[in-house]
């Protein structure tokens, strides 16, 4: 993937790029709209070659203008194309000219959504990237009708109702089968609700030249699968386990032994040379029975933890840890050690409650609920802007933060953000976060810098999840299924 393929922009940045493009010869607003419509029609023909009856839903802005161009091209190609105008017709250029072009080609403009019942495909040109509020009135009714129709939808630039900056929908939102982003990627197409709203995502650059991007900041970057070959090269032929790092997983309060087993197994499969577990005595036999390569130690007090910490390169604190007196004692001793430490699960809750103060380098791996406690805000605040949330987590704790969820985000303390476009809904099951902790800790112990370990770990975990889903489906996917795929992913 090249720079444009991975760059994620905010809406205001996209407007600057578009304005700079339109100032260049051959890239005026009309030319860009014609290219956008042509790109959408080409995608339509490739993805739905049997579709003959196309219904285009148009709003009053440039997104509606793009829709009119698609309808004109469809009609010229011999398809049955119908346009439904929602609200006032476009009056500003170039959308007004696109509508006039459609009418001059003997195209009719309708207002009745009943035509959806006859459609093979719906093209969503209702709202573009500027919408940051809930669709109301006729627009909201149109979106609900589109979703009820059961007809596949191609969304132009962004599904109507989705905030292109945040990936959230403040109200009703089109559920598209595919979305074609114009010029460059909007960051909101890849996280939060976007995974459900966008369907298959493609980007058409509309031949916008590099000069149009000059001086416009990239907000975040998408991770590419091929980066693993760069950060995880083949091992030296004379390597030994001492060079591959030693991970110590700390956790497993009574009744939660599975969490440390999952984390330790993932760390081993992700390439850590040595993996130790400090846990309750009753969990040691199960850990050794299921993963004999792991060194499991019964720890009843913080004093018994010191020798294990001394031998480790990276600590993974939190899987199954709990918040008992035993849990707190171990967490405080680990935090005081100054060793590089990944914090997950109840370690994050202890951190949020100011009961631990880690002294060493940290990687935080919260899900949205844990992130809300760490930041002292509601879950709705996290959901409204996941990019702002992950940046705040990293800055507030002077750490690397990985905010889990659809479109997981990794930020460093300077605010650089990477987004993982991989993973699947089957990974929303118990133990997946423990597996991720083990993977990241293992890569960190093998010598990757903290931010690289977090980014690569999130990527490895997601790709392994996708491999497991392809093998047996998403429903019923277990953390152990993902762990079984790790070795293939970390040997690119």
């Amino acid at each position: 993937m090249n720079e444009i393929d991975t760059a994620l922009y905010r809406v205001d940045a996209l407007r600057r790029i578009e304005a700079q493009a339109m100032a260049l010869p051959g890239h005026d607003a009309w030319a860009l709209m014609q290219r956008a419509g042509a790109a959408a029609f080409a995608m339509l023909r490739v993805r739905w070659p049997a579709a003959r009856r196309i219904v285009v839903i148009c709003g009053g802005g440039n997104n509606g203008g793009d829709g009119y161009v698609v309808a004109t091209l469809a009609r010229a190609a011999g398809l049955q194309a119908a346009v439904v105008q929602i609200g006032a017709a476009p009056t500003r250029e170039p959308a007004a000219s696109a509508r006039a072009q459609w009418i001059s080609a003997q195209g009719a403009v309708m207002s009745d959504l009943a035509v959806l019942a006859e459609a093979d495909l719906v093209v969503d040109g209702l709202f573009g990237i500027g919408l940051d509020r809930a669709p109301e009135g006729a627009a909201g009714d149109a979106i609900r009708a589109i979703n009820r129709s059961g007809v596949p939808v191609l969304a132009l630039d962004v599904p109507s109702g989705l905030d292109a900056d945040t990936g959230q929908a403040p109200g009703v939102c089109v559920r598209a089968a595919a979305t074609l982003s114009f010029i460059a990627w909007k960051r909101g197409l890849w996280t939060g609700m976007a995974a459900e709203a966008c369907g298959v995502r493609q980007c058409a650059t509309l031949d916008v030249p590099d000069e149009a991007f000059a001086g416009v900041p990239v907000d975040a970057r998408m991770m590419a699968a091929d980066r693993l070959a760069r950060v995880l090269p083949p091992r030296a032929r004379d390597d030994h386990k001492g060079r591959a790092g030693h991970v110590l997983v700390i956790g497993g309060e009574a009744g939660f032994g599975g969490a440390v087993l999952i984390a330790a197994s993932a760390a081993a499969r992700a390439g850590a040379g040595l993996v130790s577990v400090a846990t309750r005595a009753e969990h040691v036999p199960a850990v050794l029975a299921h993963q004999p390569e792991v060194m499991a130690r019964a720890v009843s007090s913080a004093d018994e933890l010191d020798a294990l910490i001394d031998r480790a390169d990276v600590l993974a604190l939190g899987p199954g840890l709990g918040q008992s007196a035993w849990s707190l004692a171990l967490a405080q001793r680990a935090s005081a050690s100054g060793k590089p430490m990944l914090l997950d699960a109840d370690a994050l809750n202890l951190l949020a409650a100011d009961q631990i103060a880690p002294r060493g380098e940290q990687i935080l791996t919260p899900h949205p609920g844990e992130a809300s406690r760490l930041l002292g805000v509601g879950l709705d605040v996290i959901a409204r802007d996941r990019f702002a949330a992950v940046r705040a987590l990293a800055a507030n704790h002077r750490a690397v933060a990985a905010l889990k969820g659809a479109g997981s985000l990794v930020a460093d303390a300077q605010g650089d953000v990477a987004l993982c476009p991989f993973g699947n809904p089957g990974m929303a099951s118990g133990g997946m976060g423990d597996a991720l902790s083990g993977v990241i800790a293992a890569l960190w112990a093998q010598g990757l810098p903290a931010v690289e370990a977090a980014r690569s770990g999130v990527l490895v975990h997601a790709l392994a999840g996708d491999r497991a889903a392809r093998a047996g489906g998403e429903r019923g996917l277990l953390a152990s299924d993902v762990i079984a795929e790790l070795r293939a992913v970390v040997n690119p």
Side-chain angles (χ1 to χ4, degrees):
M1 299 177 78
N2 59 36
E3 292 291 300
I4 294 298
D5 290 332
T6 63
L8 299 173
Y9 291 94
R10 295 183 62 99
V11 168
D12 56 358
L14 258 297
R15 295 199 185 285
R16 284 181 58 191
I17 295 167
E18 189 175 23
Q20 291 179 178
M22 289 189 294
L24 299 173
H27 300 282
D28 58 76
W30 177 247
L32 291 179
M33 183 167 286
Q34 291 295 309
R35 290 177 203 157
F41 182 64
M43 182 179 179
L44 179 161
R45 295 294 273 168
V46 170
R47 293 200 63 82
W48 295 279
R52 305 299 301 170
R53 296 168 297 183
I54 314 299
V55 174
V56 184
I57 311 297
C58 293
N62 281 343
N63 200 244
D66 297 335
Y68 276 106
V69 175
V70 173
T72 301
L73 293 170
R75 186 180 179 89
L79 303 181
Q80 299 176 37
V83 170
V84 178
Q85 177 68 50
I86 304 299
T91 57
R92 298 178 62 181
E93 295 298 342
S97 291
R99 181 174 185 272
Q101 182 184 57
W102 164 250
I103 293 172
S104 69
Q106 308 304 309
V109 179
M110 306 176 183
S111 58
D112 190 349
L113 289 165
V115 71
L116 289 172
E118 304 171 2
D120 298 322
L121 178 70
V122 174
V123 176
D124 169 25
L126 185 54
F127 291 117
I129 61 175
L131 186 73
D132 58 1
R133 64 189 188 283
E136 300 174 346
D141 292 341
I143 292 174
R144 282 184 281 270
I146 292 169
N147 290 340
R148 283 196 306 268
S149 72
V151 178
V153 178
L154 169 60
L156 304 181
D157 217 12
V158 60
S160 292
L162 186 74
D163 188 317
D165 255 349
T166 68
Q168 291 305 111
V172 66
C173 177
V174 166
R175 266 35 178 192
T179 298
L180 182 62
S181 179
F182 298 136
I183 298 180
W185 287 120
K186 293 79 187 169
R187 67 177 199 171
L189 296 183
W190 288 98
T191 196
M193 289 179 61
E196 174 68 17
C198 292
V200 175
R201 289 157 287 202
Q202 293 184 19
C203 185
T205 64
L206 310 186
D207 297 326
V208 169
D210 292 344
E211 300 95 289
F213 294 84
V216 181
V218 174
D219 186 75
R221 289 271 178 197
M222 270 197 293
M223 302 176 192
D226 61 7
R227 76 192 310 274
L228 293 178
R230 299 192 298 273
V231 300
L232 298 174
R235 286 184 169 174
R237 297 300 88 190
D238 62 345
D239 240 343
H240 56 77
K241 63 187 177 184
R243 291 179 183 168
H246 187 165
V247 172
L248 172 62
V249 181
I250 305 170
E253 176 56 294
F256 298 98
V260 287
L261 171 59
I262 290 170
S265 297
R269 283 297 185 189
L274 295 166
V275 181
S276 295
V277 171
T279 189
R280 287 287 195 183
E282 56 263 42
H283 299 316
V284 170
V287 172
L288 295 177
H290 286 84
Q291 198 69 62
E293 297 87 355
V294 168
M295 297 174 287
R297 298 288 187 271
V299 175
S300 59
S301 68
D303 291 341
E304 297 173 1
L305 196 59
D306 290 342
L308 298 177
I309 289 175
D310 288 343
R311 290 196 291 270
D313 296 307
V314 170
L315 312 182
L317 176 69
L321 180 66
Q323 297 187 51
S324 66
W326 175 86
S327 311
L328 180 58
L330 266 59
Q332 289 178 335
R333 187 62 62 92
S335 297
S337 71
K339 284 287 181 83
M341 186 162 64
L342 179 145
L343 291 90
D344 187 30
D346 274 317
L348 295 171
N349 293 326
L350 293 174
L351 181 64
D354 294 324
Q355 293 185 283
I356 57 174
R359 294 180 182 175
E361 197 172 10
Q362 305 162 57
I363 298 176
L364 314 180
T365 60
H367 58 55
E370 292 157 347
S372 73
R373 290 188 283 277
L374 285 165
L375 294 176
V377 300
L379 270 171
D380 59 324
V381 176
I382 304 296
R384 276 202 300 270
D385 195 339
R386 286 168 52 82
F387 293 89
V390 75
R391 285 187 166 107
L393 288 166
N396 291 358
H397 294 277
R398 298 184 296 280
V400 173
L403 179 57
K404 295 181 284 197
S408 292
L409 303 171
V410 179
D412 62 17
Q414 290 71 48
D416 289 335
V417 175
L419 179 148
C420 181
F422 305 102
N424 63 82
M427 299 176 74
S429 65
M432 288 292 177
D434 303 314
L436 175 62
S437 294
V439 172
I440 295 174
L443 297 181
W444 201 5
Q446 289 171 74
L448 294 185
V451 67
E452 188 59 66
R455 290 173 180 170
S456 298
V458 167
L459 179 59
V460 164
H461 182 253
L463 291 173
D466 286 344
R467 285 176 62 95
R470 286 193 296 272
E474 293 178 356
R475 186 171 284 109
L477 184 64
L478 301 178
S480 55
D481 300 324
V482 174
I483 291 170
E485 299 290 348
L486 288 173
R487 189 156 57 123
V489 178
V490 296
N491 289 284

